[in-house]
């Protein structure tokens, strides 16, 4: 979401990511309704925004990073959407990981694979909620960080193999090892949008969606909300007659600037809806406590409205008691409980409460990526490899130079396409965006996903690169 230290191994993944653009040209959504790939004027960047590069070999302290970053953020007070503004961050403020690799929802892939296991519709909804409460584990176990921004046409792919012992920790069953695959591509640069697909072939569970953010600096925190094309995560259970669950995203806040200790809070309402079963869940994340002490509390209701298509309820207190199936309460960074029935959660007996998820002992599951010699030039790790190597070696001047070169090449390619009147077309998805928020995987994308399942990473080079 912003910068800061975090886990730097392959256990790192992502949900809410960078709300700022780190040097690639961008524009507001209103300026680019057609999503055309054209150059935009710089609107909030100046030489004063770029911090002095530390001496190579010298690691900048967290306090130094924070002061630099806060100085940059102050220039965005009053800007309606930081995510749509072009400005450049020096390499020493970045975490050495590509955004497409960092930002995904499979920190615990076994919870995703298990969503369709039960024959009971309520249990499937609860499995969906278990996935929901583990998808952002990186923010529970690590601090916020700022990965590299994505380049047009950049893509990332990887797999997870779910082991029995890990499944026991979250879904309570020692399921046979299954694979879960992930493919994402930056389909638009103005505004920045990436499409993604997850798939577990053995279980018939898949998901698609768009990642796009809107961010605003209030003076004490950064508020991050879903962008116009980010309409949620759409999960499909093929073995349940294509039963679909739509999970919408709440607003998140990056705070702690004044205390010098960055952290993420959530204070909003979100929904999980299944039209086929008629079930709906409302989750309400409570605001911080007094004096900025975060509580991380969440409350929710699972209910079955008389008509799922006509249901307009958005607040917990407005759900009719007769429609309530159960209540949810807990701390989303620790334990979350479910209790059947419509009675108030606080009035329930402890023996009636079902532990929905305990994230305290959990860590993100490591991913498996294609070997470097089988990655294409626009594949995230290879594309940003020179920058990553320089940052890891603490050669910040060299890292910033390499990063700048990549950004300049992307601008040159954009100018060439604009001059020729050409519009960018994604490779792994059929369109830049879809109005319903559900990206369609192209034939090349399907082949890439099949290759992940088979362990065959061979892909032909594209006819055109977006930023190389």
């Amino acid at each position: 979401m912003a910068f800061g230290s975090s886990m730097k191994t392959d256990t790192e993944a992502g949900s809410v990511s960078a709300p700022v653009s780190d040097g690639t040209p961008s524009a507001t959504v209103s300026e680019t309704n057609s999503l055309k790939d054209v150059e935009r004027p710089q609107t909030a960047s100046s030489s004063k925004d770029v911090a002095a590069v530390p001496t190579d070999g010298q690691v900048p302290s967290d306090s130094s990073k924070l002061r630099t970053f806060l100085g940059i953020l102050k220039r965005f007070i009053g800007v309606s959407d930081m995510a749509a503004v072009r400005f450049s961050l020096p390499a020493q403020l970045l975490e050495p990981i590509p955004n497409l690799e960092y930002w995904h929802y499979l920190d615990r892939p076994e919870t995703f694979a298990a969503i369709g296991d039960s024959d009971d519709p309520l249990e499937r909804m609860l499995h969906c909620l278990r996935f929901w409460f583990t998808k952002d584990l990186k923010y529970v176990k690590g601090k916020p960080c700022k990965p590299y921004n994505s380049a047009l046409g950049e893509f990332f792919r990887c797999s997870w193999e779910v082991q029995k012992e890990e499944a026991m920790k979250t879904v309570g069953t020692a399921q046979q090892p299954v694979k879960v695959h992930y493919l994402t591509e930056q389909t638009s640069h103005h505004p920045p949008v990436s499409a993604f697909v997850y798939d577990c072939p053995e279980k018939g569970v898949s998901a698609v969606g768009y990642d796009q953010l809107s961010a605003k600096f209030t003076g004490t925190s950064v508020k991050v909300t879903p962008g116009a094309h980010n309409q949620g995560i759409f999960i499909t259970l093929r073995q349940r007659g294509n039963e679909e669950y739509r999970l919408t995203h709440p607003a998140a806040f990056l705070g702690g600037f004044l205390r010098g200790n960055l952290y993420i809070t959530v204070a909003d309402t979100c929904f999980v809806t299944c039209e086929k079963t008629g079930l709906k869940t409302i989750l309400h994340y409570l605001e911080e406590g007094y004096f900025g002490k975060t509580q991380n509390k969440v409350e929710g209701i699972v209910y079955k409205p008389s008509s799922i298509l006509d249901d307009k309820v958005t607040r917990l207190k407005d759900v009719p008691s007769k429609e309530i199936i159960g209540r949810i309460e807990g701390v989303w960074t620790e334990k979350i409980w479910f209790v059947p029935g419509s009675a108030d959660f606080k009035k329930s007996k402890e023996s009636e409460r079902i532990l929905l998820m305990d994230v305290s002992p959990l860590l993100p599951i490591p991913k498996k990526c294609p070997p470097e010699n089988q990655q294409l030039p626009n594949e995230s790790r290879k594309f940003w490899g020179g920058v990553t190597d320089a940052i890891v070696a603490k050669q910040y001047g060299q890292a910033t130079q390499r990063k700048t070169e990549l950004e300049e090449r992307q601008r040159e390619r954009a100018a060439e396409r604009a001059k020729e009147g050409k519009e960018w077309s994604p490779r792994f998805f059929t369109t830049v965006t879809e109005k319903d928020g559900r990206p369609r995987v192209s034939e090349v994308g399907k082949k890439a996903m099949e290759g992940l399942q088979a362990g065959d990473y061979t892909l032909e080079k594209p006819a055109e690169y977006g930023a190389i």
Side-chain angles (χ1 to χ4, degrees):
M1 174 177 283
F3 83 93
S5 60
S6 72
M7 296 170 287
K8 301 178 183 179
T9 67
D10 268 355
T11 62
E12 187 175 35
S15 165
V16 184
S17 186
V20 294
S21 177
D22 69 329
T24 47
S26 188
T28 62
V29 175
S30 60
E31 291 176 317
T32 56
N33 288 332
S34 63
L35 298 179
K36 291 184 178 179
D37 180 26
V38 294
E39 181 68 31
R40 297 292 177 182
Q42 186 166 322
T43 57
S45 177
S46 71
S47 59
K48 295 180 181 180
D49 289 334
V50 181
V53 178
T55 304
D56 284 344
Q58 176 185 352
V59 180
S61 66
D62 285 346
S63 60
S64 173
K65 285 183 177 181
L66 187 57
R67 285 195 302 270
T68 301
F69 191 64
L70 185 57
I72 294 173
L73 285 178
K74 286 180 179 178
R75 303 179 184 278
F76 290 87
I77 295 178
V79 175
S80 61
D81 188 3
M82 291 170 53
V85 176
R86 167 189 166 189
F87 69 99
S88 186
L89 288 178
Q92 71 268 22
L93 295 185
L94 301 176
E95 193 72 10
I97 184 171
N99 189 55
L100 294 183
E101 176 177 357
Y102 179 76
W103 189 357
H104 67 73
Y105 307 115
L106 290 178
D107 282 349
R108 299 296 301 198
E110 76 278 13
T111 61
F112 175 77
I115 291 175
D117 283 0
S118 177
D119 292 332
D120 180 58
L122 174 59
E123 282 298 321
R124 294 199 293 276
M125 172 61 79
L126 296 182
H127 273 308
C128 200
L129 293 172
R130 291 184 180 99
F131 159 73
W132 176 263
F133 287 118
T134 59
K135 72 180 180 63
D136 296 322
L137 195 58
K138 70 189 63 57
Y139 300 122
V140 178
K141 301 299 180 177
K143 293 182 180 180
C145 75
K146 174 64 180 77
Y148 315 133
N149 262 27
S150 306
L152 186 65
E154 178 189 342
F155 77 100
F156 179 78
R157 52 180 169 156
C158 70
S159 298
W160 291 263
E161 186 165 317
V162 178
Q163 301 298 328
K164 294 180 180 180
E165 57 272 17
E166 293 298 336
M168 283 296 297
K169 296 178 183 178
T170 55
V171 298
T173 57
Q175 58 186 352
Q176 293 298 316
V178 295
K179 293 181 179 179
V180 181
H181 310 296
Y182 169 50
L183 174 66
T184 181
E185 179 183 15
Q186 190 76 4
T187 59
S188 168
H189 199 57
H190 306 299
V193 179
S194 60
F196 65 82
V197 57
Y198 308 134
D199 190 37
C200 178
E202 292 95 338
K203 294 295 192 74
V205 183
S206 60
V208 295
Y210 291 105
D211 281 326
Q212 181 200 7
L213 295 177
S214 177
K216 184 174 183 178
F217 182 54
T218 65
T220 57
S221 65
V222 176
K223 180 180 180 180
V224 182
T225 56
H229 300 287
N230 186 343
Q231 299 182 41
I233 306 170
F234 297 87
I235 299 174
T236 300
L237 308 181
R238 295 192 294 274
Q239 296 178 5
R240 300 289 174 185
N242 289 327
E243 186 173 290
E244 183 185 72
Y245 293 79
R246 180 188 180 190
L247 297 74
T248 63
H249 299 286
F253 296 82
L254 176 65
F257 292 102
L258 299 181
R259 297 200 301 267
N261 182 27
L262 296 182
Y263 60 88
I264 290 175
T265 59
V266 184
D268 198 6
T269 301
C270 60
F271 310 92
V272 181
T273 308
C274 180
E275 183 177 324
K276 187 171 183 178
T277 64
L279 296 180
K280 179 178 177 179
T281 297
I282 299 177
L283 295 175
H284 177 59
Y285 290 83
L286 279 64
E287 295 183 7
E288 287 186 350
Y290 291 109
F291 307 111
K293 184 178 180 181
T294 181
Q295 296 177 338
N296 297 323
K297 291 188 66 176
V298 61
E299 299 174 348
I301 288 177
V302 181
Y303 68 107
K304 190 169 185 176
S306 56
S307 173
I308 190 74
L309 296 178
D310 298 327
D311 183 68
K312 306 298 182 184
V313 176
T314 60
R315 299 185 301 179
L316 296 178
K317 66 179 183 179
D318 294 334
V319 178
S321 178
K322 64 180 181 179
E323 296 179 353
I324 297 176
I325 296 174
R327 294 181 181 270
I328 297 166
E329 189 166 310
V331 177
W332 62 269
T333 56
E334 298 174 14
K335 294 181 179 181
I336 305 100
W337 302 85
F338 172 79
V339 60
S342 60
D344 188 274
F345 185 91
K346 293 179 176 60
K347 296 180 180 179
S348 65
K349 299 178 181 178
E350 286 194 16
S351 60
E352 298 175 329
R353 299 176 184 178
I354 300 169
L355 182 62
L356 192 61
M357 183 55 63
D358 181 6
V359 302
S360 302
L362 303 180
L363 291 171
I365 301 294
K367 66 178 80 72
K368 180 181 180 182
C369 296
E372 185 177 352
N373 61 2
Q374 296 187 51
Q375 294 180 27
L376 294 181
N378 59 329
E379 204 153 347
S380 292
R381 286 190 174 184
K382 197 161 190 175
F383 182 83
W384 293 103
V387 179
T388 299
D389 291 344
I391 292 178
V392 171
K394 303 180 182 62
Q395 301 296 316
Y396 297 108
Q398 186 179 81
T400 299
Q401 180 181 350
R402 290 178 177 177
K403 173 176 168 289
T404 301
E405 290 171 354
L406 291 174
E407 294 164 355
E408 286 300 324
R409 280 206 297 271
Q410 181 170 212
R411 296 185 186 109
E412 291 170 1
R413 298 296 177 267
E416 291 170 3
R417 284 189 292 273
K419 185 177 180 180
E420 297 172 4
K422 295 173 60 177
E423 292 190 18
W424 174 257
S425 296
R427 187 183 188 201
F428 300 102
F429 298 88
T430 57
T431 58
V432 173
T433 58
E434 295 283 350
K435 291 182 179 180
D436 64 0
R438 301 170 177 85
R440 276 61 165 175
V441 183
S442 68
E443 291 303 316
V444 178
K446 292 176 183 177
K447 181 180 178 181
M449 293 293 281
E450 291 168 358
L452 288 172
Q453 177 70 8
D456 179 7
Y457 305 114
T458 305
L459 284 176
E460 294 182 4
K461 291 185 177 181
E464 180 184 8
Y465 291 106
I468 296 178

